[in-house]
Amino acid sequence: MKYLCLVYLDEARLDELPDADCVAYDREIRESGHCVASEALQSVHTATTVRIRNGKLGITDGPFAETKEQLAGFYMIEARDLNEAIRVASGIPPARVGSIEIRPVRPIRETVAAAEAAHTQQD
Amino acid sequence: MATDPNEPIAAALERIYRSESRRVLSTLIRLLGDFDLAEEALHEAFRAALEQWPRDGVPSNPRAWLVSAGRFKAIDAVRRNARFSALDDLEANGHEIAAEDDSANDEEIEDDRLRLIFTCCHPALAADAQVALTLREVCGLTTEEIAHAFLTPVPTLAQRIVRAKGKIRDSRIPYAVPQPQELAERLDSVLRVIYLVFNEGYSASAGDAITRHDLSAEAIRLARLLAELLPEAEVHGLLALMLLHESRRAARTTAEGELVLLEDQDRSLWDRAQIAEGCTLVEQALASRRFGPYSLQAAIAAVTAEAPCFAQTDWREIVGLYDVLLRVEPSPVVALNRAVAVAMRDGPSAGLALVDALLAGGELHDYRFAHAARADMCRRLGRNEEAREAYRQALALTRQGPEQRFLARRLAALGD
């Protein structure tokens, strides 16, 4: 099962985390076979939010929600269950200064494909 | 013949329901991988027993019969509902149980009960959901009973349980006993749930009944089960702590439901059997050298329980145990309890200095027992004006009827 681990931290505390530590863990998790994809993000100051309202494109500076901790990166992992996902997430270095939100992936493509297949069978 | 031939079967069924339904449910959850499906299956299995046992007799292994019947009923239900995607999983699991039925693997079934406890108390679930789910699934209480016990509207509690089951399913909280390296941390969560249930029964946080005995009894039953399945020092410590508290139940309120302080309790009302069991468990826990905060709190309660009277309580020993507890679990509440013990050992002014320092720290500002302790120490020192002020503050923070009346009596005695 896939889980997205969202890494949140107060960007003011970013310098407490050497990049080398983060990359070392990234290498470790990739070698373990748990990692599907992972990236660190540019500072939240570079964020742009886009929305369509009444058919019109709206573009604003900044993240969707202003919070004390910002989204700083992510790991898409493969884990047997939540316990394994927690084990993997607790090793992510920013967990020591920020927090990691673990979200199970919803199999949206599979669900839609199954609905389409059932529909075709009925016809 | 006036006897009803079905009567013994009905009695047997009821006995088997009481002793086996939670075991059967915990195994069905593992086999079916879904709480709701398993509950339905359990219900159907007992319905089938009610039909077949009067005709065919009680099977030699009722537990295995019920698991097997529940599983078949669930597969039927899934077929009827055409939940095709779940069916593959079920049939794969079905082969597994066919093999298990022969070996009648009791150990595996006991493991299922432990799996159920750890799943219901998983720290990824909200704390109030852990409590509700444990009482519902492990103890077999109805949603209405739990809602009533926690003074929560039934729909709110039902919603809490539905959400928790949804999270277990969607985020795939495993139906498993944690691995050794996670066990201590996960066990904390289980013990916290059990102690919360106990305290809600022992010292209700609101309402007029000072004790809600059923919840305390349920918590003790749960701890006994856990001690049987997982004999860790802290499990014994928690069981001991609850037994030692429970032993004083009859003495801590008057017939009218008024609060009786430890120093005024009639010790002949204490339950000696519970005290003896609690003390044995404490010794066992402390001897293991893997004890933690529950064992230490139980040791403190044991010292109190073994004193022939309040005046002869070994306060030196109690302060010493609080010192250890404070190192293991540094918290202002533990420090407050230690201050009360110091006041007993060294006199109220020594205790008051500690309480005032704690209150100055700010964390206990809204904690009613901090103000009540300060009030009592001031009263004993003859500082009546300060005592009255502290009693008033404690009273303002108390929502529980008997406690309110106790504090009001103390205030009145000081001429307020």
Side-chain angles (χ1 to χ4, degrees), chain B residues 279-290:
Chain B
C279 290
T280 308
L281 285 163
V282 170
E283 281 163 25
Q284 212 176 312
L286 294 184
S288 78
R289 302 250 152 223
R290 283 180 303 154

Side-chain angles (χ1 to χ4, degrees), chain B residues 358-359 361-368 370-371 393 397:
Chain B
L358 282 165
L359 278 169
E363 274 178 290
L364 293 180
H365 189 260
D366 294 329
Y367 190 59
R368 62 188 195 273
H371 296 285
Q393 275 181 291
L397 293 166

Side-chain angles (χ1 to χ4, degrees), chain B residues 195 198 202 210-211 213 220 240-254 258-275 279 297-307 310 313 315 318 322:
Chain B
Y195 198 38
F198 178 81
Y202 192 70
I210 195 166
T211 58
H213 187 67
I220 289 173
L241 177 62
M242 295 192 298
L243 286 168
L244 289 164
H245 280 320
E246 186 67 17
S247 72
R248 294 183 208 141
R249 180 179 291 279
R252 65 196 284 271
T253 48
T254 65
E258 298 304 324
L259 197 75
V260 183
L261 289 187
L262 182 62
E263 53 186 294
D264 303 323
Q265 287 177 13
D266 175 357
R267 296 184 175 218
S268 70
L269 294 175
W270 289 3
D271 187 323
R272 292 289 146 191
Q274 284 177 330
I275 291 175
C279 290
Q297 290 177 75
I300 292 165
V303 175
T304 315
E306 283 175 326
F310 187 73
T313 307
W315 296 108
I318 290 183
Y322 271 122

Side-chain angles (χ1 to χ4, degrees), chain A residues 1 3 81-83 87, chain B residues 122 170-172 182 186:
Chain A
M1 176 137 151
Y3 294 87
D81 53 39
L82 186 63
N83 282 0
R87 271 199 296 283
Chain B
H122 198 285
D170 296 336
S171 72
R172 201 177 284 179
E182 296 164 345
R186 293 290 159 83

Side-chain angles (χ1 to χ4, degrees), chain B residues 20-245:
Chain B
E20 298 295 333
S21 73
R22 296 300 107 189
R23 281 194 181 86
V24 173
L25 176 72
S26 58
T27 297
L28 285 172
I29 294 172
R30 171 169 55 85
L31 295 172
L32 302 172
D34 184 279
F35 275 69
D36 290 329
L37 212 54
E39 271 169 52
E40 238 172 85
L42 176 74
H43 194 72
E44 289 298 322
F46 274 96
R47 193 203 299 269
L50 198 58
E51 278 170 20
Q52 293 180 32
W53 292 5
R55 195 180 61 222
D56 307 335
V58 177
S60 60
N61 186 344
R63 188 190 296 170
W65 190 97
L66 288 162
V67 167
S68 194
R71 186 177 55 88
F72 284 123
K73 295 285 180 187
I75 293 172
D76 276 356
V78 170
R79 285 215 177 96
R80 270 199 312 278
N81 297 340
R83 283 139 92 174
F84 291 113
S85 58
L87 196 58
D88 297 337
D89 292 348
L90 270 181
E91 287 188 325
N93 281 327
H95 295 300
E96 198 182 310
I97 193 175
E100 262 170 36
D101 277 349
D102 305 330
S103 60
N105 192 340
D106 283 345
E107 198 179 317
E108 184 74 356
I109 287 178
E110 292 308 279
D111 276 357
D112 283 336
R113 309 184 78 192
L114 204 50
R115 288 185 184 106
L116 182 59
I117 293 172
F118 276 105
T119 303
C120 292
C121 298
H122 198 285
L125 300 172
D128 50 9
Q130 292 177 31
V131 170
L133 205 59
T134 302
L135 288 172
R136 179 86 180 78
E137 309 298 333
V138 184
C139 303
L141 267 58
T142 65
T143 304
E144 288 74 17
E145 284 169 333
I146 305 165
H148 179 74
F150 284 89
L151 309 171
T152 308
V154 174
T156 309
L157 199 107
Q159 183 64 251
R160 209 173 277 171
I161 291 176
V162 168
R163 283 217 188 102
K165 286 179 185 168
K167 179 156 188 190
I168 290 171
R169 186 183 57 239
D170 296 336
S171 72
R172 201 177 284 179
I173 290 178
Y175 199 58
V177 176
Q179 298 185 357
Q181 70 268 26
E182 296 164 345
L183 190 65
E185 189 201 337
R186 293 290 159 83
L187 188 58
D188 274 354
S189 175
V190 174
L191 297 177
R192 192 164 45 239
V193 166
I194 296 176
Y195 198 38
L196 230 145
V197 171
F198 178 81
N199 277 325
E200 200 56 36
Y202 192 70
S203 165
S205 53
D208 206 45
I210 195 166
T211 58
R212 274 178 278 154
H213 187 67
D214 287 354
L215 283 179
S216 299
E218 212 53 69
I220 289 173
R221 241 197 308 277
L222 201 52
R224 280 192 198 285
L225 170 67
L226 190 62
E228 208 178 286
L229 298 171
L230 195 73
E232 291 280 326
E234 276 290 87
V235 179
H236 290 141
L238 175 60
L239 179 56
L241 177 62
M242 295 192 298
L243 286 168
L244 289 164
H245 280 320

Side-chain angles (χ1 to χ4, degrees), chain A residues 58-85:
Chain A
I59 302 170
T60 47
D61 171 47
F64 170 64
E66 291 283 356
T67 49
K68 205 164 165 288
E69 293 192 327
Q70 293 87 29
L71 185 63
F74 69 88
Y75 288 84
M76 177 72 85
I77 63 165
E78 183 67 48
R80 191 175 57 243
D81 53 39
L82 186 63
N83 282 0
E84 193 172 74

Side-chain angles (χ1 to χ4, degrees), chain A residues 2 6 28 34 40 52 57 63 73 82-83 93 106 108:
Chain A
K2 283 198 189 76
L6 295 152
E28 191 183 309
H34 281 301
I52 308 280
L57 174 66
L82 186 63
N83 282 0
R106 184 159 66 95
I108 186 168

Side-chain angles (χ1 to χ4, degrees), chain A residues 17-37:
Chain A
L17 280 172
D19 278 356
D21 285 9
C22 295
V23 172
Y25 183 73
D26 190 58
R27 191 173 304 133
E28 191 183 309
I29 187 181
R30 279 167 185 265
E31 280 166 8
S32 76
H34 281 301
C35 187
V36 179

